[in-house]
Amino acid sequence: MNFYRIDMDRWSRKPYFEHYMKESKCSYSITANLNVTTLLDRLQNKKVKFYPAFIYMVSRVVNSHTEFRTTFNDKGQLGYWDHMIPNYTIFHKEDKTFSAMWTEYSNDFLLFYKNYQCDMEQFGDKKGLWAKENVPVNTFSISSLPWVSFTGFNLNLYNGEYLLPIITGGKYFSDGKEILLPVSLQVHHAVCDGYHVSIFINDLQKLADSCEEWVV
């Protein structure tokens, strides 16, 4: 993994970044319904689990755009990672707790799915906040609320300098014609505008629609 520092004096986003980091500090979220009708059918035919497929899709979009990989490193320097690794939540039915798990990302879905299965087999039953230790610094957060088809979701972060996106998926439901999945995306306005979140949601939908190309 490599971290590339941003040259503020040459960065076209500098005035926006400074405004939303100093004068009008704010993060914001958007919730949209993802049409997963085709995706679910494909996954069921291939006997592939939905959650790792969702994690893969989100990770692929995050890794496709610099805005979603922009953050501060451990020295407080602004820049972006060359790639990001998903750090996602897993639920323990026995005691109704959750743990955080990370899985090495690959653009090849079958390889990522294999990595996911290996991690779940080795760490899936481990309790505590961190199921798999040695969390890489280039991770971003994904969580799931599979019990609620929410129409909005917001995290109240006290760290005003957390720039990476946070993605939450809900319970998919039928509107009578299609099967929809609520997806919430939280970002910091210093690095992401409405245009960027629309790209995220639209790219996610394209991946769901073109699932036959990557779920093989």
Side-chain angles (χ1 to χ4, degrees):
M1 62 180 174
N2 294 306
F3 184 80
Y4 300 99
R5 290 186 60 184
I6 292 175
D7 185 345
M8 290 293 289
D9 293 331
R10 296 186 178 183
W11 193 30
S12 61
R13 192 171 178 81
K14 178 180 178 180
Y16 303 92
F17 179 83
E18 292 182 338
H19 176 74
Y20 289 114
M21 287 298 291
K22 299 177 181 179
E23 300 173 25
S24 299
K25 295 182 180 180
C26 76
S27 61
Y28 65 98
S29 62
I30 181 174
T31 299
N33 288 327
L34 192 71
N35 188 331
V36 294
T37 309
T38 300
L39 175 64
L40 283 173
D41 184 62
R42 181 69 173 180
L43 294 177
Q44 290 170 0
N45 288 338
K46 293 293 183 177
K47 297 181 180 180
V48 173
K49 294 181 179 179
F50 178 79
Y51 191 36
F54 176 70
I55 295 170
Y56 168 81
M57 292 165 57
V58 169
S59 301
R60 184 163 165 176
V61 176
V62 166
N63 279 294
S64 297
H65 302 282
T66 305
E67 290 80 10
F68 303 126
R69 291 180 278 119
T70 301
T71 185
F72 294 104
N73 63 12
D74 57 359
K75 297 179 181 178
Q77 300 167 330
L78 180 67
Y80 58 92
W81 295 107
D82 58 352
H83 74 282
M84 299 292 293
I85 296 173
N87 189 20
Y88 52 93
T89 57
I90 56 175
F91 184 68
H92 303 295
K93 295 181 180 179
E94 306 81 21
D95 58 2
K96 307 300 185 293
T97 61
F98 76 92
S99 298
M101 172 93 79
W102 62 273
T103 292
E104 194 67 47
Y105 173 73
S106 171
N107 206 49
D108 182 331
F109 173 66
L110 293 182
L111 178 55
F112 174 76
Y113 192 67
K114 181 179 179 181
N115 292 340
Y116 171 89
Q117 290 178 310
C118 289
D119 281 336
M120 288 300 296
E121 182 177 341
Q122 185 174 358
F123 304 104
D125 293 332
K126 185 177 179 181
K127 303 295 178 61
L129 184 57
W130 306 106
K132 183 180 177 183
E133 298 180 352
N134 301 316
V135 182
V137 292
N138 58 325
T139 59
F140 71 100
S141 298
I142 300 176
S143 62
S144 178
L145 274 175
W147 313 279
V148 182
S149 298
F150 55 75
T151 56
F153 187 88
N154 184 65
L155 290 168
N156 299 307
L157 297 177
Y158 288 94
N159 181 359
E161 294 188 351
Y162 187 84
L163 304 180
L164 293 174
I166 301 175
I167 299 90
T168 305
K171 177 182 179 181
Y172 53 76
F173 64 96
S174 174
D175 67 351
K177 297 180 180 179
E178 310 287 354
I179 301 177
L180 306 174
L181 173 77
V183 177
S184 173
L185 168 67
Q186 180 137 341
V187 296
H188 200 296
H189 212 337
V191 293
C192 288
D193 302 323
Y195 171 74
H196 303 108
V197 298
S198 67
I199 286 178
F200 183 94
I201 298 298
N202 291 335
D203 280 4
L204 208 58
Q205 185 62 65
K206 290 176 183 177
L207 282 174
D209 294 339
S210 63
C211 57
E212 294 184 358
E213 297 178 4
W214 52 273
V215 183
V216 296

